[in-house]
Amino acid sequence: MAGDPSSNGRDSSRIDRRRFLALAGASAGALSLGAAPAAATESPENLAEADIDGFDCDQPIFECGQQVTAAGGMVSAEDPRASAAGARVLAEGGNAIDAAVAVQYVLNVVSPQASGIGGGGFMVVYDAESDSVHCINSRERAPRDAHPEMFLDNGEPRDFDEAIQRSEAIGVPGTLDALETARERFGSRPRQRLIRPAIQLAAGGFTVDEYLSEVIAENRDKFNDAAREVFLDANGNVPQPGDTLTNEDLARTLELIRRDGRDAFYEGPIARDIAATVEGLEGGPGIDERDLAEYSVTIDEPVRKEAYDFEIVGQPVPTSGPTTIAMIMRMLEFLDIEEYDIRAPEKYHLIAEANRVAWADRDQYMGDPEFVDVPVEGLLDDDFLRQRASRIDLDGVIADYAAGEQVPPGVPPGAPERFTPDWAATASTADPVSSTAHFTTADRHGNVVSYTTTIEQLMGSGKMVSGRGFMLNNELTDFDFEPGGPNQVQPRKRPLSSTSPTMVFRDGEPIFTAGSPGGFTIITSVQQAILHRLVYGLEPLEAIQEPSIFSARDFDVMWEPDVPEAAVEYGEARGQPWADEPEEIGNVQVMDVRPDGFTGAADPTRDGLAVGVNLPQARGRSPEKHPESKRSKSKSNKDR
Ligand code: GLU
């Protein structure tokens, strides 16, 4: 994992704050730091108010909080400045897609560690007018010179921390193309308006929060000179919470994009600078100007699968997320998970096993559908899932995980013959609580967006495009490092993802959205948010705060604080190895979508803020379509 505090000395990089400010005052160049108003660091609301011109949570048009309800629109994002910028767009009459575009631009500035125009993502759009879902797929692509052995070093998979900093890790970024495609196709406001808050923040400065300060300290070792110039002062010191950071290079880049749109990025001087930055790195085939010029998002049909009385709808492969979530949810339904109390040991055991089963099939069959025939229908087939679920037993486990065994993959209808490489040798376990951002927006017309956006690891490759102010991803390390499997490297291919931008529908109407960062753990975080909200009937914020677990392959079960000790003992007694200590998993943003409005919730594990907009609703949708608990119809609680 990048950013190991023990190796790069997070503590030693912590410097006395007064000394830091004195040094910062003397520094010049791209970095400009200063003390922000003291109130700015007190709460997400204050952060948003300090940094977004004209935004005030006390204005009657806005509702701010970790969970809020409003009729006229909603934004829930991991950063309060992003939520505020999106809510202002909605308040001016912009739609959910306009708001999402504004949110992503602001995240690029204030949360540069998690996403930006140097990365990619998946934007799931519900278009109310046509009553249809469109998945704007801006996953990064491998360069045309990429090859299946490019992550091998003398025939052996390269060390992950080393691999992420090399040129072959960097995929052709897709995020700007996604923003422009979404805006042109579904938006209603000009690019100039939507990019404006981001330009103001980059040029005028924004308040460093605790998380960004920590991430800079923990990842500075992988920074190139350009990143050091922007994120550290002239003496190499890390900005502290409450300081003001500007990124003038990024402001200039965004100005060019404001003027010229996607062409400013995918061709011309910025494209040349991207190619030159990549070329300057050690490594094998890297992206070049031609790869950038050839990049284009795809607009995919969503994957859909019923479970309980709802339908899971989301981005299909090349992210494994929503498809795998749907498999797990259907298996849990077949296993009657709702018969068990929300904190019952049996509930966690069933989730742990269902995850391992679904992951076996994910690993065996999923990859970029432009290159691999993925048997999606077979994987989601009820008979197949019933048969897979029937292997799960409350009295034991399917394989000896402690000894490194895994659940064997199943054979779904339509399954091709497959060779699976040794996963353990192929890829990383991403930092479970950090990378990537998920946010959700909705408007008074009923349009809804669920968008997960990433540069892969925290701060991506650690390499900033020289003079341009944005970080480059290391997304191609999501490919298998060993050749042979469905997720092997191929020219122009997109690596398999775990991101899970998801919507839930009932009776043909969207009722809920969910998504999270967290690498491999994303799938389980989002799946449990859906389970807790729609099967156990918790309120949106409770649903994301209810402790969750992660399991896959032969990993020890990761568990959040508040999972009862009895669950750990129960699992261990049956052969389920659990991690010694609990830890927070994911950062889930969710939203209830109702005919009369929206309830957004933002995960308190970062500075997340939900901002609702009090505009009159535009369409009268019937109030009986409120998300409701399935569990209220199920049998009584057991085993609390
Ligand atoms: N690159 C990861 C994926 O697409 C996401 C990174 C993370 O959230 O840690 O699955």
Side-chain angles (χ1 to χ4, degrees):
M1 186 181 89
D4 175 359
S6 62
S7 65
N8 60 19
R10 178 191 335 182
D11 286 336
S12 63
S13 65
R14 288 236 174 269
I15 51 170
D16 173 75
R17 188 172 146 74
R18 264 177 310 160
R19 196 183 119 232
F20 177 74
L21 289 175
L23 292 169
S27 77
L31 174 69
S32 145
L33 293 152
T41 53
E42 276 170 14
S43 70
E45 284 90 335
N46 287 343
L47 264 182
E49 289 169 0
D51 286 349
I52 297 290
D53 276 354
F55 179 81
D56 186 342
C57 283
D58 288 337
Q59 286 163 335
I61 196 165
F62 297 123
E63 304 286 339
C64 299
Q66 284 175 350
Q67 177 176 310
V68 294
T69 296
M74 183 64 61
V75 182
S76 180
E78 68 164 55
D79 189 284
R81 283 73 57 103
S83 302
R88 284 205 63 187
V89 168
L90 292 174
E92 290 168 19
N95 67 23
I97 293 84
D98 298 320
V101 171
V103 167
Q104 171 64 92
Y105 280 127
V106 168
L107 285 176
N108 195 159
V109 180
V110 300
S111 190
Q113 70 279 0
S115 74
I117 54 176
F122 299 103
M123 186 195 301
V124 179
V125 175
Y126 172 69
D127 177 47
E129 198 180 345
S130 61
D131 187 22
S132 54
V133 178
H134 309 265
C135 301
I136 302 177
N137 172 352
S138 59
R139 187 69 166 167
E140 298 91 333
R141 284 185 188 271
R144 51 184 204 296
D145 293 335
H147 55 83
E149 288 86 31
M150 76 180 191
F151 288 114
L152 299 181
D153 180 21
N154 286 324
E156 292 297 316
R158 194 177 282 284
D159 173 69
F160 183 75
D161 286 346
E162 192 193 319
I164 63 170
Q165 301 194 51
R166 292 168 57 89
S167 57
E168 59 262 22
I170 299 169
V172 186
T175 292
L176 181 63
D177 195 24
L179 299 180
E180 281 292 274
T181 303
R183 189 186 59 73
E184 283 163 9
R185 179 126 185 219
F186 303 106
S188 70
R189 288 292 182 272
R191 175 174 66 244
Q192 287 74 6
R193 164 64 188 97
L194 304 180
I195 204 169
R196 195 170 69 213
I199 295 176
Q200 284 170 350
L201 287 163
F206 64 94
T207 310
V208 174
D209 61 13
E210 206 176 319
Y211 182 56
L212 177 57
S213 173
E214 270 180 32
V215 170
I216 291 173
E218 290 179 1
N219 288 276
R220 54 187 296 174
D221 282 359
K222 66 175 180 180
F223 285 169
N224 62 352
D225 288 346
R228 270 192 287 274
E229 270 168 38
V230 168
F231 294 129
L232 307 175
D233 77 1
N235 297 304
N237 298 309
V238 174
Q240 297 298 288
D243 292 340
T244 301
L245 184 62
T246 60
N247 186 343
E248 287 160 20
D249 291 342
L250 181 58
R252 277 189 292 273
T253 299
L254 296 175
E255 269 294 344
L256 291 174
I257 292 170
R258 187 185 73 84
R259 199 185 67 195
D260 296 334
R262 70 184 300 291
D263 289 351
F265 183 90
Y266 288 98
E267 51 192 58
I270 297 181
R272 271 201 292 285
D273 288 348
I274 294 172
T277 302
V278 175
E279 206 185 335
L281 299 174
E282 216 172 291
I287 59 174
D288 63 17
E289 281 184 75
R290 205 170 118 200
D291 294 312
L292 283 154
E294 284 174 5
Y295 186 85
S296 170
V297 298
T298 57
I299 302 186
D300 305 337
E301 285 287 316
V303 63
R304 294 177 173 272
K305 174 68 187 171
E306 72 282 1
Y308 293 92
D309 63 344
F310 49 81
E311 189 184 29
I312 293 163
V313 178
Q315 172 70 47
V317 279
T319 183
S320 61
T323 310
T324 309
I325 289 170
M327 294 172 71
I328 296 167
M329 285 299 298
R330 192 59 157 174
M331 284 192 281
L332 292 177
E333 182 187 5
F334 291 148
L335 292 162
D336 297 323
I337 193 169
E338 71 279 4
E339 289 188 18
Y340 300 98
D341 184 78
I342 198 160
R343 301 261 172 112
E346 290 89 341
K347 177 205 167 209
Y348 300 106
H349 185 73
L350 294 178
I351 291 173
E353 287 291 271
N355 269 271
R356 294 193 200 274
V357 169
W359 267 78
D361 298 327
R362 171 204 187 269
D363 289 347
Q364 180 76 4
Y365 297 110
M366 294 191 200
D368 182 347
E370 286 183 2
F371 291 78
V372 182
D373 181 17
V374 184
V376 177
E377 232 176 87
L379 289 167
L380 294 175
D381 177 76
D382 271 350
D383 290 341
F384 173 68
L385 290 171
R386 219 177 251 112
Q387 172 226 322
R388 294 294 276 159
S390 72
R391 299 208 54 188
I392 298 172
D393 186 349
L394 278 177
D395 293 330
V397 288
I398 299 172
D400 187 354
Y401 313 121
E405 280 180 24
Q406 294 182 52
V407 175
V411 184
E417 289 262 326
R418 277 290 156 71
F419 159 72
T420 307
D422 174 9
W423 65 265
T426 69
S428 71
T429 53
D431 182 345
V433 290
S434 50
S435 341
T436 303
H438 179 82
F439 63 90
T440 183
T441 63
D443 65 35
R444 66 204 161 112
H445 310 293
N447 301 304
V448 182
V449 172
S450 179
Y451 188 2
T452 309
T453 171
T454 181
I455 53 173
E456 217 298 280
Q457 291 285 289
L458 279 175
M459 291 288 180
S461 59
K463 314 305 172 214
M464 181 178 274
V465 180
S466 227
R468 301 297 180 182
F470 62 90
M471 303 301 291
L472 287 170
N473 69 83
N474 66 293
E475 215 75 54
L476 302 192
T477 55
D478 278 353
F479 279 120
D480 291 349
F481 282 22
E482 278 202 343
N487 188 35
Q488 70 172 348
V489 185
Q490 287 172 265
R492 296 195 179 87
K493 193 177 177 183
R494 298 162 297 188
L496 188 64
S497 171
S498 298
T499 55
S500 304
T502 302
M503 294 181 182
V504 180
F505 280 60
R506 183 183 288 131
D507 301 331
E509 297 276 340
I511 56 166
F512 189 62
T513 73
S516 176
F520 289 167
T521 65
I522 293 172
I523 292 173
T524 192
S525 291
V526 176
Q527 175 262 309
Q528 280 161 90
I530 294 170
L531 182 77
H532 295 155
R533 175 72 189 110
L534 293 167
V535 177
Y536 283 90
L538 299 188
E539 286 297 304
L541 184 59
E542 289 171 353
I544 57 184
Q545 287 186 300
E546 179 62 28
S548 64
I549 61 166
F550 164 72
S551 78
R553 299 175 175 165
D554 67 346
F555 299 139
D556 291 354
V557 176
M558 282 173 60
W559 49 293
E560 291 195 307
D562 291 339
V563 170
E565 195 55 42
V568 183
E569 285 162 15
Y570 179 99
E572 296 241 326
R574 283 156 181 76
Q576 193 81 260
W578 284 60
D580 293 340
E581 298 292 331
E583 61 182 296
E584 296 286 352
I585 307 171
N587 177 268
V588 186
Q589 269 57 248
V590 299
M591 180 169 55
D592 271 5
V593 180
R594 286 183 309 269
D596 57 350
F598 312 96
T599 299
D603 196 325
T605 52
R606 294 183 190 170
D607 280 332
L609 187 68
V611 181
V613 180
N614 291 316
L615 291 171
Q617 65 178 122
R619 359 184 270 169
R621 292 191 273 148
S622 63
E624 61 274 12
K625 297 220 182 108
H626 188 285
E628 62 173 33
S629 161
K630 186 71 194 158
R631 187 172 161 75
S632 54
K633 296 180 201 141
S634 73
K635 296 166 201 135
S636 63
N637 290 0
K638 295 190 216 172
D639 298 307
R640 182 179 274 280

